Amino acid sequence: MCGIVGAIADRNIVPILIEGLRRLEYRGYDSAGVAVLNSSGHLRRLRTVGKVKMLQDAIVETPTDGQLGIAHTRWATHGVPSERNAHPHISRDGIAIVHNGIIENHEELREELTSLGYTFTSETDTEVIAHRIHHHKQKLGDIFRAVRATVAELEGAYALAVVSEDSPDRIILARAGCPVVIGVGNNENFVASDVSALLPVTRKFIFLDEGDVAEIRRQDVRVLDAEGNTAHREVRESALSADAAEKGDYPHFMLKEIFEQPRAVAQTLEERVAGGKLLEAAFGPLATEIFRRTEAVQIVACGTSYHAGAVAKYYIEQIARLPCWVEIASEYRYRNPVVPKNTLFVTISQSGETADTLAALRMAKQSGYLSSLSICNVPESSLVRESELVLLTRAGPEIGVASTKAFTTQLTALGMLVVALAKHHGADAERERGLVQRLIEIPGLIEKTLHLEPTIKELAKRFADKHHALFLGRGQMHPIAMEGALKLKEISYIHAEAYAAGELKHGPLALVDADMPVITVAPNNDLLEKLKSNLQEVRARGGELYVFADPDSGMQSSDGVTIITMPKHVSHFQAAAVYSIPLQLLSYHCAILRGTDVDQPRNLAKSVTVE
Ligand code: F6R
């Protein structure tokens, strides 16, 4: 998704803007641009298609510096990726803006502006905002007031940063539906879509609320809320370190993040489980009372986070014996769901800014749910701020677009939710101790599974030239098969589908031949024998089988069947997290062999802040 960076300082801010954009690259983008007020007070704009590196090269060719500026990475929504559609967009009299989000009424605003004599140089909704600001500024005389008048007319979602040649001492910001933070410096201030962009220059941040319009100067930040009243927004210190978003010795963020999983899962459990108990206050002060009253659970999420929810459904039903429904947010939000009494509404999200998940939460808050719980990786995110209960996954920044450590830490957090619910619905202290112990063992089991990397790297050579793949699992391993298929398609562009293995003979078996690898996750559980029969059906049609299996499964490699032996003693409550690891590694190595852009796969964005 698009990224914003801005700065006002007594030094040249161009390197800060470029470094900020580089740190936002993980969000996904197709073009980049910068607009800076130079020493003679004129706006200088440079835009390029492709990577931030291209913009950096353009700046070397056309030296650009200044003490006030804004920059952007664009992920195309209105209009193709091109230089003329890239941000910043400018209007008359040296007004420049960068924008994240989508303006739904841009067409009618554009028509009106055309009749007022404005000409457009792009197909974007953003250019409309630039001209609207100019239009209002002519009447109101001041850029801050002009931005406020403009945002009052906008329908949709936006985070905006605006500069103007005649106000060389400030940047104007506005937020509705898209995140934006102010970085507080010493006699200098900054702005960005998320904190990671600004960590090299500050650790202090102000998070704007929905509807806020703000004005930042070198020494001062002024915020007005949606009603136009002066608002005090706290300055918060971020615990993230500047190098949290660096690759270190790894060739890709994705590989680094796969290998960070033992630590990330352990951190997610830290201080929350102790002495064989789950400390449910970790979910928030009201947690105990809410979990006691919970009679059902509705989970809503997107993509990989949805898969974590789909696993949790099995655990919540089997272990806590509560009914649980799971749905993708983009569908849920357009239904008119019937909400059973005392249902807890749970959202799961790495970013906490996914537009559909956020909209579903807002709708749920009006729909009579008992309470809302967010399982999220970003403490300052909208989802966290708007949920009553929160359990943060402590995965650290996840930069690779393909979610890995965020997923296994979500599974861990959901495991804690299961224990909390089970405690209030029949599980005694011994049962609790047993479940907590299973959670504590997960990091060690993941560590052991990571030792399979060389084997999986070899295996990937047999997949790299395939066009399709099938992933199979049963029970709680069905969502893990779905996650494996999603990982493979999103980074290697191999078409992959996942099925509950018992469903194969109802259609997809027709696809199976020697050219269709069939990847299966087979922990030692009560569905193993059923799964083996399903695999016989594949083998009988000449399908090539790759099975990640428990050492006690009794399965052995044979003609057309490759067994990859997983660690011993992986229990039902641990299997989802542990068996997702080899599937992540397989996708990664297939993608490497196919030469794709592993960390930033085509067409995808890390934080999906549009509907
Ligand atoms: C896939 C992936 C996406 C996200 C989805 C939801 O690897 O990362 O499917 O899981 O876009 O994003 P969050 O979790 O930020 O709500």
Side-chain angles (χ1 to χ4, degrees):
M1 222 62 346
C2 308
I4 289 176
V5 190
I8 178 164
D10 276 335
R11 52 177 166 153
N12 177 21
I13 46 80
V14 173
I16 298 171
L17 299 182
I18 294 298
E19 175 60 13
L21 290 185
R22 210 186 54 72
R23 288 172 160 263
L24 293 177
E25 282 190 304
Y26 74 93
R27 295 164 72 92
Y29 68 102
D30 46 60
S31 49
V34 60
V36 177
L37 272 192
N38 65 16
S39 51
S40 45
H42 291 301
L43 206 59
R44 173 158 220 137
R45 173 175 67 165
L46 278 175
R47 298 176 295 173
T48 48
V49 176
K51 298 284 174 190
V52 171
K53 176 78 178 65
M54 316 284 277
L55 182 65
Q56 220 170 344
D57 292 346
I59 290 171
V60 172
E61 248 171 62
T62 319
T64 306
D65 59 12
Q67 301 183 343
L68 170 76
I70 50 178
H72 193 261
T73 44
R74 173 175 186 256
W75 189 74
T77 53
H78 296 79
V80 294
S82 64
E83 192 181 320
R84 82 199 146 85
N85 285 333
H87 301 206
H89 285 282
I90 53 177
S91 187
R92 299 171 194 167
D93 303 334
I95 291 174
I97 84 162
V98 289
H99 162 223
N100 289 358
I102 290 181
I103 303 305
E104 281 166 351
N105 59 337
H106 73 104
E107 268 169 17
E108 64 193 74
L109 294 173
R110 182 182 275 250
E111 263 171 42
E112 202 185 315
L113 286 162
T114 309
S115 69
L116 289 169
Y118 287 90
T119 46
F120 286 82
T121 57
S122 78
E123 296 133 77
T124 63
D125 48 349
T126 306
E127 195 181 359
V128 170
I129 311 176
H131 293 319
R132 271 331 271 188
I133 294 172
H134 177 265
H135 171 65
H136 286 299
K137 188 164 164 285
Q138 280 186 309
K139 284 180 287 163
L140 300 169
D142 170 66
I143 187 75
F144 186 69
R145 294 172 69 197
V147 171
R148 289 194 59 226
T150 302
V151 296
E153 300 170 333
L154 302 179
E155 288 166 22
Y158 54 82
L160 296 178
V162 185
V163 294
S164 171
E165 277 181 5
D166 69 359
S167 302
D169 57 345
R170 51 191 169 148
I171 303 175
I172 315 298
L173 307 176
R175 171 202 168 142
C178 291
V180 63
V181 298
I182 298 169
V184 181
N186 203 355
N187 198 30
E188 53 189 19
N189 283 313
F190 312 95
V191 40
S193 316
D194 74 49
V195 296
S196 62
L198 301 177
L199 287 171
V201 284
T202 185
R203 291 281 192 80
K204 290 186 189 154
F205 295 96
I206 296 173
F207 297 91
L208 292 185
D209 274 3
E210 284 295 285
D212 282 354
V213 180
E215 172 171 72
I216 67 167
R217 298 169 191 260
R218 280 176 186 76
Q219 292 173 320
D220 181 39
V221 172
R222 177 163 80 111
V223 183
L224 296 191
D225 67 14
E227 275 73 51
N229 303 313
T230 302
H232 174 73
R233 304 278 175 243
E234 227 178 290
V235 180
R236 301 198 217 166
E237 191 109 9
S238 171
L240 295 175
S241 67
D243 63 2
E246 299 294 342
K247 280 202 285 257
D249 291 338
Y250 288 93
H252 297 96
F253 281 110
M254 184 179 175
L255 192 63
K256 175 183 177 239
E257 288 158 5
I258 289 174
F259 276 85
E260 278 173 351
Q261 288 177 105
R263 191 161 55 95
V265 169
Q267 275 174 193
T268 301
L269 290 165
E270 250 168 46
E271 302 156 357
R272 292 158 167 183
V273 291
K277 287 194 168 144
L278 174 88
L279 311 176
E280 62 192 12
F283 289 84
L286 300 175
T288 302
E289 178 55 15
I290 289 168
F291 293 151
R292 193 183 59 74
R293 290 175 55 202
T294 300
E295 288 173 32
V297 179
Q298 170 72 61
I299 300 177
V300 170
C302 301
T304 290
S305 299
Y306 165 76
H307 296 154
V311 171
K313 174 185 164 68
Y314 286 88
Y315 293 142
I316 290 172
E317 292 191 343
Q318 285 166 19
I319 298 172
R321 298 302 295 146
L322 293 177
C324 176
W325 303 277
V326 191
E327 193 164 352
I328 46 176
S330 53
E331 285 300 314
Y332 174 87
R333 64 181 287 197
Y334 292 110
R335 275 203 299 118
N336 188 5
V338 177
V339 180
K341 195 167 137 259
N342 288 334
T343 302
L344 175 65
F345 187 81
V346 179
T347 53
I348 310 169
S349 174
Q350 183 281 130
S351 62
E353 301 295 348
T354 301
D356 284 318
T357 310
L358 198 52
L361 170 65
R362 288 176 182 157
M363 182 178 122
K365 284 167 85 176
Q366 313 297 321
S367 309
Y369 282 94
L370 170 64
S371 180
S372 56
L373 161 67
S374 162
I375 291 184
C376 186
N377 197 38
V378 180
E380 309 83 8
S381 64
S382 305
L383 213 58
V384 167
R385 283 187 284 151
E386 294 183 31
S387 298
E388 195 167 16
L389 302 182
V390 173
L391 190 64
L392 292 174
T393 50
R394 297 180 183 143
E398 190 180 66
I399 308 295
V401 163
S403 206
T404 52
K405 61 176 180 171
F407 179 64
T408 43
T409 53
Q410 285 168 350
L411 290 174
T412 309
L414 287 160
M416 284 191 265
L417 174 64
V418 173
V419 180
L421 292 172
K423 262 173 78 165
H424 292 280
H425 297 87
D428 59 13
E430 195 172 329
R431 177 86 169 122
E432 181 182 357
R433 193 169 315 111
L435 291 169
V436 165
Q437 182 55 30
R438 300 281 91 80
L439 290 174
I440 292 171
E441 288 163 3
I442 293 176
L445 290 167
I446 294 180
E447 190 80 63
K448 283 187 188 153
T449 311
L450 288 168
H451 292 143
L452 288 174
E453 199 210 358
T455 311
I456 295 170
K457 193 173 171 182
E458 272 307 299
L459 199 68
K461 293 184 183 154
R462 288 150 76 178
F463 289 83
D465 60 347
K466 300 286 183 205
H467 298 292
H468 309 276
L470 271 182
F471 284 73
L472 302 181
R474 291 198 71 143
Q476 37 132 349
M477 302 314 283
H478 176 217
I480 295 304
M482 290 160 75
E483 176 58 10
L486 175 63
K487 286 291 90 96
L488 189 68
K489 65 187 137 192
E490 76 179 315
I491 60 166
S492 74
Y493 316 151
I494 296 174
H495 171 229
E497 294 294 337
Y499 279 94
E503 187 64 11
L504 212 56
K505 54 186 158 306
H506 300 290
L509 200 53
L511 292 171
V512 170
D513 62 14
D515 240 8
M516 172 74 89
V518 179
I519 299 127
T520 308
V521 272
N524 193 5
N525 60 21
D526 47 9
L527 285 170
L528 182 63
E529 291 310 314
K530 305 251 177 244
L531 180 69
K532 284 184 187 171
S533 312
N534 303 140
L535 299 187
Q536 291 302 331
E537 293 159 8
V538 173
R539 201 52 215 124
R541 273 87 190 165
E544 190 83 14
L545 279 168
Y546 299 88
V547 189
F548 294 95
D550 187 277
D552 293 333
S553 67
M555 299 167 92
Q556 272 158 9
S557 294
S558 57
D559 187 28
V561 182
T562 305
I563 304 291
I564 304 97
T565 307
M566 293 287 288
K568 275 188 180 164
H569 308 310
V570 177
S571 78
H572 170 70
F573 199 40
Q574 299 163 327
V578 177
Y579 279 72
S580 58
I581 306 298
L583 305 187
Q584 296 169 351
L585 286 167
L586 185 64
S587 314
Y588 173 78
H589 285 293
C590 281
I592 295 298
L593 290 169
R594 290 167 73 92
T596 57
D597 189 345
V598 175
D599 284 334
Q600 288 163 35
R602 66 186 181 199
N603 308 339
L604 297 181
K606 183 67 184 165
S607 179
V608 186
T609 51
V610 294
E611 190 180 336

